[in-house]
Amino acid sequence: MLCYLPAYSQNSTPTVSENKTVSDNLAEQLQSLSKNNASDLVYLQTSKGIYETEEDLWFKGYVLDAQNFTPSARNKILFVQLIADKTDKAVWENKYEIENGFVNGHLFLQDTLQEGTYTLAAYSSASYTRNTNEFYAVKKLEILKTINHKAIVNPVAKDSILQFTTFPEGGNLVSGIQGTLGFKAVNSKGIPVNVSATLYENNKPLLDFKSSHAGMGSLIFTPDANKEYHIQLTEPKSKEQFSITHIYQNGKVLQLLRNTKEALTFKVSQSAALNPEIIYLRFQVRGVVYSIASGLLKKELTIKIPLNDIPQGIAEVTLFGANTEPLAERLVYVNQDQKLNIKTELDKSNYNTRDKASLKIKVTDENGQPVMAHLGLSVYDKLYQNQQDSKNILTHYFLSTQLKGNIYNPAYYFDEKNKDRQEALNLLLLTQGWRSYVWEEFNLKELGNIRTIVFDDLKAKVNLKKADAKTKELQPQGITIFSADEKKGTDLLMADETGAFTITPNDLKKGEGGYIYLKLLAPPESNYHIGFKDFSFEEINKERKIKTVLYPISAVLETKKEVLSTLPDRPGINKLKEVLITSKKKKVFRDKYIGKLDSLARVMQFTNDFYCTSTNYLNCPRCKDGCCPGTRAKPVEGGEYVDTSQYTQVSPCGPYLNDDSKVLVYHYYSNLTEAELLSKFNIVMFKGYYGKKVFYEPIYDEVTINDSSPDYRNTIFWKPDIITNEQGEATVDFFCSDINTVFLGNIEGVSGDGLLGVGNFEFTVRKNAN
């Protein structure tokens, strides 16, 4: 007997209200934990996978709610780093504005970067916390000086170490009850190893089996607790005997019978020696409980869980006993068709160089209904595709961020060309083991409440320059905030009675592409100054050293394979050597506002220079040592003094080794460092948002199409903010370059209600294609 809120006539059986109370408690205890962990997940889409130095790296950041995958409004700042994997040091770090859950960003790859693998990493207040040991918001990239025209995938070296692990379905094998035993074989690098093996019972062969996908597989048998079992591999052949997990004399077993679009069907069995018992089966996806079934279990009980209105993703099904103790657990993947279907149609399949291409985009849901979606599109030379990177928006949100551990080639499970993908996905979840699901109740308890690392609001304070100083001066409370761009104006911030004030994300817009300045509204001789430093990236780096970066394990390409375009007449590019422009001036300030301060310092005669009244020496070394009879005085503009810049002494207060007197005419100039200038004017400087840049798109008409200047763009289109209309449609146009090659189009996106999707297309460009 089974129902969701069953009624029973016997007094010993729980009533409807009692069952409802238990069900409510089981739901509430999980959902209250997930509420405490309200967070975001960040995904980075880049314009391609392989870059050359002196190129722009374009990226789109998706900042989505961790539970429902809708664009999040929790945070306004995305902190981004480019990290060299070889040294694990950031070679670039800046802040970008999050606008309605999305970031449109870029960075320039300096020619000083060494060739190798780099990690583009992104952090926000609600996605990068101290609670978790894992970090997902990264994109692996290859950066080269010049791309190899014959990129060869090196064969993977053979690994003699093999790890073979078994996983009972639901968690336990029980004597006398037929059960499913999943298994997984990998080498020491986590690469799957396909195996054939035999299950032995009391040293006699019982069952032959083999892996069916990526070193994973399953076998069904009825264990006996009074017998001994082991597994021996026949391919690759091994003398090692692998034991299976413990077999319980009595217990309950949870088995998945069917997984369809309409429902999940489970069978719950228990040993004959156990008394009938009310059991509960809780079904949850990403911390949201969608149903709890209950029933009286005698020997076997079949339970069907409807999947109407359930979102795509990993679901956890947990079996509870009458006392709500967890007895078994099973991860399943549901509603894989519930996604954005992105269809693309080009006006041609082959283009001439510099041709105009028109692309129509149509987005629908699983029922064929049009969907308004926010899409990112890149069109690039196939040579710059990283074939070994199997990460996309689907694998990131549906698998990598939901399971603990690195997943081998997750894109396989979302490629509709793979007819066995659903069976393979079932094996993946069967062999993950207990508590691998990040939304599992025990994991949520371990996480506790969110502990933030970086913040959107930056804290600052007006302090005394010397902490122990005594002053009758009233603490200034006014602070002006501005940038070098006078058009952006000046705003006023007010400190509270303790001197504390806040810099908001909106304030960072003033310094977009440059620096922001805070000036204390106080006289120059004030004993107060602004105490402020942005420690965001320092905190990120500290935490980064103790977190494990989880990234899909690349699919192994077993044979050498050229990724060069089939068209051999790719134009060569001769790069000019870098030209460095230098100045004869002693200092070059980074911001034009600092230049203004430097000029102002000259007018105000801010200088550390002095002359000795007895010797007329400018910056007299003996005066500095305190052994000159003369006194120090500030030099006069246009005055004549003896230049001592080349004087050296045998010892302090000793004679000069070279005292060739040279008289100079003194002119005031600021010889203060940048930090000294800011301190003199009681100003603090920090970075605003990194500046936005428009992707370059040439337009070829009857005149410009014959322009002799070569067009060697390998990324010919990048648009991270395509929004489809109410009919789910959008059209974009772009122009081909002079490169004869196959171009790839990659499109990814999300809808307002959390549907995700990817789309791909390709076309050929060659001269005189028509």
Side-chain angles (χ1 to χ4, degrees), residues 145 166 178 249 309 345 405 417 526 533 551-552 585 645 730:
K145 294 293 183 181
T166 57
Q178 187 183 74
Q249 191 70 47
D309 301 322
E345 182 182 350
K417 296 176 184 177
S526 173
K533 185 177 179 182
Y551 203 81
K585 292 184 178 180
S645 59

Side-chain angles (χ1 to χ4, degrees), residues 30 34 66-67 69 134 136 282-290 310-318 329-334 397-405 428-429 431-447:
L30 177 72
S34 63
Q67 279 191 306
F69 297 159
E134 298 81 22
Y136 311 94
R282 185 178 67 189
F283 175 85
Q284 65 108 346
V285 179
R286 297 192 290 274
V288 177
V289 177
Y290 287 90
I310 304 299
Q312 178 184 178
I314 297 173
E316 180 199 42
V317 179
T318 308
E329 177 191 64
R330 179 66 155 89
L331 298 181
V332 294
Y333 201 93
V334 299
Y397 282 108
F398 288 132
L399 286 184
S400 295
T401 58
Q402 307 303 306
L403 297 172
K404 294 186 175 182
L428 174 69
L429 299 182
T431 57
Q432 282 301 117
W434 283 71
R435 299 198 175 110
S436 62
Y437 188 42
V438 298
W439 295 95
E440 196 267 344
E441 189 170 331
F442 178 83
N443 290 328
L444 291 174
K445 287 179 180 178
E446 278 197 330
L447 291 176

Side-chain angles (χ1 to χ4, degrees), residues 313-456:
I314 297 173
E316 180 199 42
V317 179
T318 308
L319 176 67
F320 295 90
N323 296 322
T324 68
E325 71 279 15
L327 303 174
E329 177 191 64
R330 179 66 155 89
L331 298 181
V332 294
Y333 201 93
V334 299
N335 285 338
Q336 196 168 16
D337 293 332
Q338 193 180 100
K339 62 177 182 177
L340 295 180
N341 294 301
I342 304 174
K343 293 184 179 181
T344 55
E345 182 182 350
L346 284 163
D347 57 341
K348 293 192 292 186
S349 58
N350 296 293
Y351 292 89
N352 199 353
T353 54
R354 303 195 180 187
D355 263 358
K356 179 180 179 180
S358 183
L359 177 72
K360 292 182 179 179
I361 303 169
K362 176 75 173 180
V363 182
T364 58
D365 62 16
E366 71 275 16
N367 299 315
Q369 297 301 308
V371 177
M372 293 183 66
H374 199 293
L375 308 173
L377 170 62
S378 179
V379 183
Y380 60 96
D381 182 347
K382 188 176 183 179
L383 186 61
Y384 294 81
Q385 178 191 24
N386 187 348
Q387 288 188 316
Q388 291 188 284
D389 189 358
S390 62
K391 185 173 187 174
N392 60 39
I393 195 170
L394 296 177
T395 68
H396 179 76
Y397 282 108
F398 288 132
L399 286 184
S400 295
T401 58
Q402 307 303 306
L403 297 172
K404 294 186 175 182
N406 295 317
I407 302 170
Y408 175 77
N409 192 20
Y412 183 92
Y413 306 109
F414 297 92
D415 188 346
E416 295 181 4
K417 296 176 184 177
N418 300 320
K419 301 304 180 184
D420 66 336
R421 63 192 182 102
Q422 291 184 344
E423 292 79 4
L425 189 50
N426 181 57
L427 281 177
L428 174 69
L429 299 182
L430 178 62
T431 57
Q432 282 301 117
W434 283 71
R435 299 198 175 110
S436 62
Y437 188 42
V438 298
W439 295 95
E440 196 267 344
E441 189 170 331
F442 178 83
N443 290 328
L444 291 174
K445 287 179 180 178
E446 278 197 330
L447 291 176
N449 295 326
I450 292 293
R451 291 179 291 151
T452 304
I453 298 172
V454 293
F455 300 87
D456 278 358

Side-chain angles (χ1 to χ4, degrees), residues 686-698:
F686 62 98
K687 280 187 177 182
Y689 289 127
Y690 189 66
K692 293 181 180 178
K693 184 177 179 180
V694 177
F695 181 80
Y696 171 68
E697 296 179 63

Side-chain angles (χ1 to χ4, degrees), residues 216 233 520 565 722:
M216 300 179 293
L233 301 184
L520 185 65
S565 165
I722 298 172

Side-chain angles (χ1 to χ4, degrees), residues 484-503:
D485 186 353
E486 296 179 353
K487 295 179 181 178
K488 294 183 178 180
T490 300
D491 289 333
L492 178 66
L493 303 178
M494 296 299 296
D496 61 20
E497 62 276 6
T498 68
F501 64 97
T502 299
I503 302 155

Side-chain angles (χ1 to χ4, degrees), residues 543-766:
E543 193 70 19
R544 187 167 60 82
K545 294 183 184 299
I546 60 176
K547 286 190 185 296
T548 301
V549 174
L550 295 182
Y551 203 81
I553 300 172
S554 301
V556 175
L557 302 178
E558 297 181 355
T559 58
K560 294 183 179 181
K561 183 177 181 181
E562 294 188 2
V563 297
L564 176 64
S565 165
T566 56
L567 300 176
D569 55 341
R570 176 185 303 276
I573 301 175
N574 295 319
K575 292 183 180 179
L576 295 175
K577 290 185 177 180
E578 182 181 25
V579 177
L580 182 64
I581 299 175
T582 59
S583 171
K584 292 183 179 180
K585 292 184 178 180
K586 292 186 177 181
K587 296 181 293 295
V588 177
F589 293 106
R590 294 174 293 183
D591 191 298
K592 65 180 181 181
Y593 182 73
I594 295 292
K596 292 181 181 179
L597 292 185
D598 186 49
S599 299
L600 186 58
R602 298 182 193 190
V603 174
M604 299 178 68
Q605 298 185 356
F606 281 168
T607 180
N608 293 324
D609 291 337
F610 68 92
Y611 76 95
C612 177
T613 56
S614 64
T615 63
N616 204 42
Y617 283 180
L618 183 68
N619 298 324
C620 176
R622 286 199 179 104
C623 283
K624 293 179 180 178
D625 295 336
C627 53
C628 185
T631 58
R632 298 186 184 194
K634 183 177 288 189
V636 178
E637 174 68 23
E640 294 185 349
Y641 305 96
V642 178
D643 181 13
T644 63
S645 59
Q646 303 300 319
Y647 284 15
T648 56
Q649 294 172 278
V650 176
S651 60
C653 297
Y656 300 129
L657 291 179
N658 51 333
D659 57 357
D660 182 23
S661 297
K662 181 180 179 181
V663 176
L664 56 78
V665 177
Y666 185 81
H667 295 286
Y668 269 106
Y669 67 92
S670 173
N671 64 339
L672 301 177
T673 65
E674 189 176 273
E676 289 170 334
L677 272 174
L678 293 170
S679 177
K680 284 285 185 182
F681 288 97
N682 221 336
I683 294 174
V684 171
M685 178 179 76
F686 62 98
K687 280 187 177 182
Y689 289 127
Y690 189 66
K692 293 181 180 178
K693 184 177 179 180
V694 177
F695 181 80
Y696 171 68
E697 296 179 63
I699 297 176
Y700 291 118
D701 54 26
E702 292 180 357
V703 176
T704 57
I705 199 168
N706 296 314
D707 188 344
S708 60
S709 301
D711 181 356
Y712 293 153
R713 291 172 299 131
N714 56 65
T715 303
I716 59 176
F717 192 68
W718 166 256
K719 190 166 180 58
D721 53 358
I722 298 172
I723 300 176
T724 56
N725 59 23
E726 293 182 354
Q727 288 74 44
E729 297 173 344
T731 300
V732 295
D733 298 326
F734 54 89
F735 286 87
C736 301
S737 65
D738 290 338
I739 300 178
N740 297 292
T741 189
V742 175
F743 279 88
L744 300 179
N746 174 54
I747 186 166
E748 301 181 75
V750 61
S751 68
D753 54 1
L755 293 179
L756 306 173
V758 299
N760 297 284
F761 59 91
E762 66 177 54
F763 58 91
T764 301
V765 175
R766 63 188 312 169

